[in-house]
Amino acid sequence: MEFNGGQFTDDQIIRYSRHIILPEVGGKGQAMIASAKVFLIGAGGLGCPISYYLTAAGVGRIAIVDDDVVDLSNLQRQILHSTKTVGMPKVESAKAVLNALNPDVEIIAIKDRLTPQNILGFIKDYDIVIDGSDNFPTRYLVNDACVLANKPLSSGAVLRFEGQVTTIIPGEGHCYRCLFEEMPPEGLVPSCQEGGVLGVLPGIIGTLQAMEVLKLILGKGDVLKNTLLIYDALRTNFRKVRVPKNLDCPVCGENPTITALCSSYEANYCSA
Amino acid sequence: MEEIIPDKRIDIRGLKCPYTFVRSKLAIEQMNTGEVLEVLLNYPEASVSIPKSMQDHGQRVLSVDKINDTDWIILIRKERD
């Protein structure tokens, strides 16, 4: 997005007027949003609402990595995709909708699988990382990479009727391993495929993540640092749980045992 | 009374709310604290809403004058970023 020293185009003034009016945002805040670069993992249930709202907000560059293709069973919750894009790579299906929503935003579609070998190269040019993945190996990989690369991370998860959101600021607050040091054994926690998920739930959790990201960009308000927000949809209950930084954390503690990414995250232990 | 010389002038005649305030706010954001913005407008509602919103945002409204049958001039001093 071009600002010519703080000047917006007439269309941009109209498009972002409800942001500009806010005392916490204004033209300066909108310019900060426009110069932000975020890296999103997953174009699924969480990634769709996250990227939809961040694109609407005018975030300068959004990279989305996902190696999957759109399946009919995704459409109950993955709102960027449609009946017409079944079979298409998710990142391409998402990119088309996001480009149509806001041509100011540069969308980088990466059809690839995130690995310990490629993640640090991917995230190094981005300000904030957002995890919208649906599995534990990726969640631990992303956490470790963000701690090692010192990148703020918004992490979200959903299952059945319950969702979780947290914001990790390496060096300041907790990380995912402070909360859950090791991955649960395979099969212990059901996946969305096995457990099901009510379609609106990732919309709620994803939009909470998008809000956290915008606050990080603007430097306004309090983010979910040292805090896990748990949403129980059946009881309509939001609960905040305090998560102190663990000084013995294997990746962000005082004497970390994980000082480089593990060679594989597929096993439930670190096989560095 | 001493005449106030504005540091910046904008002509937003023809604009309606909320763009009257959006344009005024963008203009004042780029000014230094203590400087005065002159806003020339002809949308009647904005002659009330701009002063109110500017005050809500912590700026000082120095004057609101109807200068002819259709136009107003508002002078605002920037008090804070």
Side-chain angles (χ1 to χ4, degrees):
Chain A
M1 206 188 292
E2 294 295 326
F3 285 96
N4 313 322
Q7 297 298 307
F8 297 85
T9 65
D10 289 348
D11 278 355
Q12 285 169 340
I13 289 174
I14 295 169
R15 183 185 285 266
Y16 304 115
S17 57
R18 269 57 173 184
H19 277 173
I20 294 168
I21 288 168
L22 291 167
E24 293 81 358
V25 183
K28 287 178 181 169
Q30 189 60 45
M32 291 164 85
I33 294 171
S35 60
K37 297 185 289 258
V38 305
F39 191 89
L40 170 63
I41 294 127
L46 294 168
C48 285
I50 292 167
S51 57
Y52 222 161
Y53 271 100
L54 293 182
T55 298
V59 168
R61 182 188 296 169
I62 303 173
I64 311 173
V65 62
D66 197 311
D67 70 342
D68 207 1
V69 295
V70 179
D71 185 86
L72 191 57
S73 68
N74 300 147
L75 303 185
Q76 149 264 24
R77 63 195 181 285
Q78 301 184 13
I79 56 171
L80 288 175
H81 312 308
S82 69
T83 315
K84 282 184 183 165
T85 63
V86 168
M88 189 188 283
K90 282 186 181 177
V91 289
E92 295 300 333
S93 169
K95 182 178 174 159
V97 175
L98 299 172
N99 282 342
L101 170 61
N102 190 349
D104 287 342
V105 179
E106 185 186 0
I107 304 291
I108 314 244
I110 306 169
K111 186 183 183 305
D112 205 345
R113 188 164 183 79
L114 213 52
T115 67
Q117 290 72 39
N118 66 17
I119 185 169
L120 291 171
F122 278 145
I123 66 174
K124 74 172 165 38
D125 295 328
Y126 290 84
D127 307 312
I128 299 168
V129 178
I130 312 164
D131 188 2
S133 70
D134 61 355
N135 63 83
F136 285 103
T138 304
R139 193 163 302 150
Y140 280 82
L141 169 64
V142 172
N143 177 76
D144 292 356
C146 286
V147 171
L148 294 173
N150 200 25
K151 299 283 180 187
L153 165 65
S154 166
S155 185
V158 293
L159 184 66
R160 293 180 178 141
F161 291 91
E162 192 173 286
Q164 300 178 349
V165 199
T166 190
T167 300
I168 291 161
I169 317 280
E172 290 184 26
H174 78 299
C175 83
Y176 202 76
R177 282 191 194 271
C178 295
L179 189 58
F180 307 111
E181 191 170 318
E182 295 292 340
M183 276 182 244
E186 210 180 319
L188 185 73
V189 179
S191 67
C192 277
Q193 244 176 356
E194 298 155 355
V197 59
L198 200 76
V200 182
L201 179 63
I204 292 168
I205 299 300
T207 47
L208 282 168
Q209 286 183 270
M211 182 65 93
E212 289 286 287
V213 169
L214 286 177
K215 289 190 301 177
L216 281 172
I217 292 169
L218 292 166
K220 296 290 179 189
D222 300 316
V223 292
L224 291 166
K225 187 171 75 175
N226 288 326
T227 307
L228 180 70
L229 179 69
I230 300 170
Y231 171 56
D232 178 343
L234 279 181
R235 286 163 194 83
T236 318
N237 183 37
F238 282 94
R239 192 157 51 99
K240 269 180 167 180
V241 179
R242 183 109 185 117
V243 185
K245 184 175 164 68
N246 176 11
L247 298 178
D248 297 323
C249 173
V251 66
C252 80
E254 288 180 335
N255 298 297
T257 52
I258 301 171
T259 54
L261 291 176
C262 312
S263 58
S264 170
Y265 281 75
E266 294 305 323
N268 62 7
Y269 56 90
C270 187
S271 55
Chain B
M1 198 178 126
E2 194 184 338
E3 196 188 344
I4 296 163
I5 316 261
D7 298 280
K8 189 176 195 171
R9 292 186 163 91
I10 57 169
D11 179 354
I12 55 168
R13 285 176 296 178
L15 287 184
K16 295 180 174 180
C17 293
Y19 305 108
T20 46
F21 176 62
V22 171
R23 291 276 182 178
S24 306
K25 189 180 175 202
L26 287 172
I28 212 160
E29 270 188 20
Q30 288 167 35
M31 296 167 64
N32 297 316
T33 306
E35 290 184 338
V36 173
L37 172 68
E38 178 190 284
V39 183
L40 173 61
L41 64 127
N42 64 357
Y43 188 65
E45 199 186 315
S47 69
V48 178
S49 64
I50 289 181
K52 184 180 181 310
S53 298
M54 282 293 175
Q55 279 168 351
D56 288 348
H57 281 59
Q59 315 305 349
R60 180 184 295 268
V61 178
L62 301 176
S63 61
V64 182
D65 292 315
K66 192 157 199 291
I67 56 166
N68 56 41
D69 286 350
T70 55
D71 303 341
W72 283 262
I73 282 182
I74 304 175
L75 291 178
I76 305 150
R77 174 175 286 137
K78 180 165 180 172
E79 298 282 328
R80 49 174 278 187
D81 270 322

